[in-house]
mmCIF file of all heavy atoms in Angstrom:
data_model
loop_
_atom_site.group_PDB
_atom_site.id
_atom_site.type_symbol
_atom_site.label_atom_id
_atom_site.label_comp_id
_atom_site.label_asym_id
_atom_site.label_seq_id
_atom_site.Cartn_x
_atom_site.Cartn_y
_atom_site.Cartn_z
ATOM 1 N N MET A 894 16.733 -16.040 25.041
ATOM 2 C CA MET A 894 17.516 -15.551 26.172
ATOM 3 C C MET A 894 18.974 -15.954 25.988
ATOM 4 O O MET A 894 19.303 -16.947 25.362
ATOM 5 C CB MET A 894 16.981 -16.122 27.488
ATOM 6 C CG MET A 894 15.535 -15.749 27.760
ATOM 7 S SD MET A 894 15.290 -13.992 28.035
ATOM 8 C CE MET A 894 16.081 -13.826 29.627
ATOM 9 N N ALA A 912 33.420 -22.871 39.608
ATOM 10 C CA ALA A 912 34.088 -24.151 39.822
ATOM 11 C C ALA A 912 35.500 -24.099 39.260
ATOM 12 O O ALA A 912 35.772 -23.446 38.261
ATOM 13 C CB ALA A 912 33.291 -25.262 39.150
ATOM 14 N N PHE A 1052 21.190 14.398 27.372
ATOM 15 C CA PHE A 1052 21.316 15.662 26.641
ATOM 16 C C PHE A 1052 22.305 15.475 25.493
ATOM 17 O O PHE A 1052 23.510 15.692 25.627
ATOM 18 C CB PHE A 1052 21.762 16.773 27.592
ATOM 19 C CG PHE A 1052 20.831 16.991 28.754
ATOM 20 C CD1 PHE A 1052 21.131 16.494 30.013
ATOM 21 C CD2 PHE A 1052 19.631 17.663 28.574
ATOM 22 C CE1 PHE A 1052 20.270 16.680 31.075
ATOM 23 C CE2 PHE A 1052 18.757 17.845 29.632
ATOM 24 C CZ PHE A 1052 19.071 17.359 30.880
ATOM 25 N N HIS A 1088 27.490 11.979 21.168
ATOM 26 C CA HIS A 1088 26.536 13.073 21.018
ATOM 27 C C HIS A 1088 26.773 13.837 19.719
ATOM 28 O O HIS A 1088 25.809 14.239 19.040
ATOM 29 C CB HIS A 1088 26.650 14.028 22.218
ATOM 30 C CG HIS A 1088 26.160 13.420 23.490
ATOM 31 N ND1 HIS A 1088 26.137 14.093 24.689
ATOM 32 C CD2 HIS A 1088 25.673 12.176 23.767
ATOM 33 C CE1 HIS A 1088 25.658 13.312 25.636
ATOM 34 N NE2 HIS A 1088 25.370 12.133 25.100
ATOM 35 N N THR A 1172 50.722 -4.140 10.301
ATOM 36 C CA THR A 1172 49.794 -5.021 9.609
ATOM 37 C C THR A 1172 48.359 -4.631 9.954
ATOM 38 O O THR A 1172 48.095 -3.834 10.861
ATOM 39 C CB THR A 1172 50.036 -6.484 9.997
ATOM 40 O OG1 THR A 1172 49.887 -6.615 11.430
ATOM 41 C CG2 THR A 1172 51.440 -6.914 9.590
ATOM 42 N N ASP A 1181 35.591 -10.879 24.065
ATOM 43 C CA ASP A 1181 36.901 -11.392 24.466
ATOM 44 C C ASP A 1181 37.581 -10.509 25.503
ATOM 45 O O ASP A 1181 38.522 -10.953 26.172
ATOM 46 C CB ASP A 1181 37.818 -11.527 23.244
ATOM 47 C CG ASP A 1181 37.276 -12.518 22.225
ATOM 48 O OD1 ASP A 1181 36.415 -13.329 22.600
ATOM 49 O OD2 ASP A 1181 37.712 -12.472 21.058
ATOM 50 N N THR A 1286 35.991 -22.688 18.539
ATOM 51 C CA THR A 1286 34.814 -23.499 18.222
ATOM 52 C C THR A 1286 33.799 -23.467 19.362
ATOM 53 O O THR A 1286 32.586 -23.394 19.131
ATOM 54 C CB THR A 1286 35.234 -24.942 17.932
ATOM 55 O OG1 THR A 1286 36.279 -24.952 16.955
ATOM 56 C CG2 THR A 1286 34.063 -25.757 17.421
ATOM 57 N N ALA A 1424 -5.271 8.230 24.365
ATOM 58 C CA ALA A 1424 -4.190 7.253 24.520
ATOM 59 C C ALA A 1424 -2.974 7.634 23.683
ATOM 60 O O ALA A 1424 -1.821 7.484 24.121
ATOM 61 C CB ALA A 1424 -4.686 5.857 24.141
ATOM 62 N N SER A 1503 -44.432 22.885 -1.065
ATOM 63 C CA SER A 1503 -43.483 22.739 -2.175
ATOM 64 C C SER A 1503 -42.115 23.288 -1.802
ATOM 65 O O SER A 1503 -41.076 22.714 -2.146
ATOM 66 C CB SER A 1503 -44.036 23.454 -3.412
ATOM 67 O OG SER A 1503 -44.195 24.848 -3.151
ATOM 68 N N HIS A 1549 20.376 11.167 5.244
ATOM 69 C CA HIS A 1549 21.438 11.457 4.282
ATOM 70 C C HIS A 1549 21.011 11.186 2.838
ATOM 71 O O HIS A 1549 21.722 11.580 1.912
ATOM 72 C CB HIS A 1549 22.658 10.603 4.608
ATOM 73 C CG HIS A 1549 22.420 9.124 4.471
ATOM 74 N ND1 HIS A 1549 21.670 8.418 5.397
ATOM 75 C CD2 HIS A 1549 22.812 8.227 3.519
ATOM 76 C CE1 HIS A 1549 21.626 7.147 5.029
ATOM 77 N NE2 HIS A 1549 22.299 7.008 3.895
ATOM 78 N N LEU A 1566 11.103 27.413 -3.295
ATOM 79 C CA LEU A 1566 10.630 27.182 -1.938
ATOM 80 C C LEU A 1566 9.820 28.364 -1.434
ATOM 81 O O LEU A 1566 8.796 28.182 -0.753
ATOM 82 C CB LEU A 1566 11.819 26.915 -1.011
ATOM 83 C CG LEU A 1566 11.499 26.691 0.458
ATOM 84 C CD1 LEU A 1566 10.629 25.454 0.644
ATOM 85 C CD2 LEU A 1566 12.772 26.552 1.287
ATOM 86 N N PRO A 1644 38.797 34.047 8.954
ATOM 87 C CA PRO A 1644 39.166 34.022 7.544
ATOM 88 C C PRO A 1644 38.580 35.208 6.804
ATOM 89 O O PRO A 1644 37.473 35.645 7.085
ATOM 90 C CB PRO A 1644 38.566 32.711 7.039
ATOM 91 C CG PRO A 1644 37.446 32.444 7.959
ATOM 92 C CD PRO A 1644 37.854 32.981 9.296
#
Side-chain angles (χ1 to χ4, degrees):
M894 300 294 290
F1052 302 102
H1088 291 181
T1172 58
D1181 298 342
T1286 309
S1503 61
H1549 64 286
L1566 178 62

